[in-house]
Amino acid sequence: MERRKVYALMMLWAMAHLSSPGFGLRALRRTTGGRKGSTGPTGQDATGTPLRRSKRGWMWNQFFLLEEYTGTDMQYVGKLHSDADRGDGSVKYVLNGEGAGTLFKIDENSGDIHATKRLDREEKAYYILHAKAVNRFTNEALEGESEFIIKIHDINDNEPRFTKDPYMASVPEMSDIGTSVIQVTATDADDATYGNSARVVYSILEGQPYFSVDPDTGLIKTALPGMDREVKENYQVVIQAKDMAGQMGGLSGTTTVSITLSDVNDNPPRFTKTLYEFRVPESSELGSAIGVIRAMDADIGANAEMDYRVIGSDGPGMFDITTNRSTQDGVIMLRKPLDFEKKRQYSLRVQVENSHINPRFYSMGPYRDEATIKIIVEDVDEPPVFERASYVMEVKEDAARNTVIGSVSASDPDDKHSLVRYTIDRRTDMDRVFNIHAGNGSVFTLRELDREENAWHNISVIATEFNNPRQISRVAVYIRVLDVNDNAPTFATNYETFVCENAKANQRIQTVSATDPDEPVGGHRFFFSLAPDAVGKANFSVRDNKDNTAWILTRRNSYNSLQKSIYHVPVVISDGEFPMQSSTNTLTIRVCTCDREGNMKLCNPEALTARAGLSTGALVAILLCVIILLMIVVLFAALRRQRKKEPLIISKEDVRDNVVSYNDEGGGEEDTQAFDIGTLRNPEAIEESKQRRDIVPETFYPPVRRPALPPARDNNGDVRDFINQRLQDNDSDPTAPPYDSLATYAYEGNGSVAESLSSLESVTTEGDQDYNYLSEWGPRFKKLADMYGGDDSDRDS
């Protein structure tokens, strides 16, 4: 509605101006002094030069057109007219340029210009056009083309607009009056150079009396002192911007400014209580938290950060307090062990203070507070306590068993003073080298010690309360084994010594040294000498250098490797400790062929063999020949063995009695020339029984175990046992052929005490034999069961 009023006023203003003379686009007549193209004197200038009037063409001024025209007819802009137009219709007016033919139209006969549409100055403020007059018939220009401007006259049709909506701002709490908060800005699209359409004035609609705004700049300031964030933190301020310099009828726009009071440290911390009480078990670990206290601060962020500290305690150094930065709590920490039996209660005085204090608010302090903390120690059944944190004991390595090497001591720290029992943790003494007396804690040995095997033993002793076996404690015991001179010195290494055949007497051929696993306090001192039993017939001598080394020297001028290639020199090495230990070490010296400078040339088994007349090639050839001969012998033996193991019976249907002769029978035990009775007397030397190779077994049946025959009561009992065992193995062999066969297991003779083992003799005693068990041996023995297993009447039929 307000905009319509503005348009009405603008239309009235435009109509008044358009009706006035001289408004619009008008053509001024050319002023000429004579005929076209002539000039005439009109006077002289100051120098006496005659002045001449020049001919002028059209002259166009700047014209205005009202924007947002709301009339029903086209808006009249102006009229073009040329001096050449005599009203006979021969002149045609032509308009070119911005908007010509669309926004602006010209009557080519009269030269009247009209606007065809409503124009908006905010879209385009002016238009540049070109006009000319031409002959309608010849289309020749009667006047030169001229340029003119149509400027759109502004009306107040745009309200002010803020650059943001909403604005976000903050200002510290407790700020003074007039503290700048934020500046808001509104813009108006109307013409700022014409009238007051774009002149904006700011005012505050909501937010009084806390804030104010500068009407010209839009700067928002605080208007009330002592605004407290803890009372109210957020404010919503509405700012209005109005054009036309704020006059009635002007257009306006609004925006919201959200203002937050930022925190300042204007509140001190305060404890919620003046006395805190905590109960703590005496078994609490060092460094553990035993209580938490909290002070309240109405401020936030860094302004609420606080520091706690102990300012007084009846147990100096027992407790400390730290600040939890995430929660601003005070955490009480245990720094020394608690002991209910020594002290049962502690009192602390603690203080809290802000970490960041604003000097501006010192007067609102003090920014600290104090409180008392009471700590009550609770009794706990504690394990035994050793007098020392660890024990170190020493024992000589030659100490006898059950030797006491030291003791440990532990006691119950509780008021009841329970007795303590000691044991050794066998996981630390798996070889059971030591033991401990359960009552008094004495540690003693269980076996001999060897320092060279283990110089240190680390064991753990356990102390347990009698009244409460679950209360245990441990202590480390380090046992050092002291050295005793119980090892004899020996050569430091295995020496490879040689002597040249052309060696001279008293020539050094080797320097030897010694080693000893013992570790005497003053260091080793070794003595070297030749064994007494070798002194008289020695080819070499030993010289002690008194520095734990010795030289081996020759005692004659030359040696012959063919006569004797190796010498063994016994060297006695003894130490200087008590008791003295010594050992005899043999040094092997090889005789070698050397050159004149004493460099060894030939001193190995291959060289000695070469000197004897055999080369390496000859030895290899001999070895190959031996291998070939052995292979021939093994192959021949294998072929003969294969021939002996040919199948006894080709056809399974052949059930005739067969005699298989394994060897010739001799004269029994009396025939000592035919065999070696020692073979039968040593059953372990006989090859284990093997399966028959002439018959492929189809189904295996469990062997029939028969009781062993009682041993014979004569000197040949071992032979009889062997034969009986072989007989049983043959009877129970599931791969044996299903017919009688003769198997010779020994050399029978006339003087043999053993009867014949052949089943062929069963013909004479057939009636006494019972073969019914053959039917139980499966299908392989079915034919034998039919032949021998039936009654006599069945066989006769």
Side-chain angles (χ1 to χ4, degrees), residues 181 204 207-212 221-225 227 232 235 237:
V181 180
I204 184 168
Q208 301 96 341
Y210 306 103
F211 301 95
S212 63
K221 302 178 181 179
T222 58
L224 196 66
M227 286 190 293
K232 185 177 181 180
Y235 295 86
V237 179

Side-chain angles (χ1 to χ4, degrees), residues 229 520 580:
R229 185 199 65 84
M580 180 178 292

Side-chain angles (χ1 to χ4, degrees), residues 5 8 201 278 281 386 406 467-468 571 580 648 708 715 750 754 756:
K5 293 180 180 180
V201 175
F278 299 100
F386 284 94
N467 296 337
N468 187 1
V571 180
M580 180 178 292
L648 300 178
N715 295 333
N750 295 329
S756 176

Side-chain angles (χ1 to χ4, degrees), residues 259-314:
I259 301 176
T260 301
L261 297 183
S262 59
D263 185 59
V264 297
N265 191 11
D266 58 341
N267 294 280
R270 291 289 181 264
F271 283 112
T272 56
K273 297 188 295 185
T274 58
L275 177 63
Y276 295 86
E277 184 175 307
F278 299 100
R279 292 184 174 272
V280 183
E282 64 173 331
S283 60
S284 298
E285 297 182 357
L286 298 182
S288 61
I290 61 176
V292 177
I293 61 176
R294 176 178 294 179
M296 305 304 295
D297 193 328
D299 297 322
I300 60 174
N303 296 317
E305 293 182 359
M306 56 191 76
D307 296 319
Y308 297 86
R309 66 174 180 270
V310 178
I311 60 175
S313 174
D314 57 357

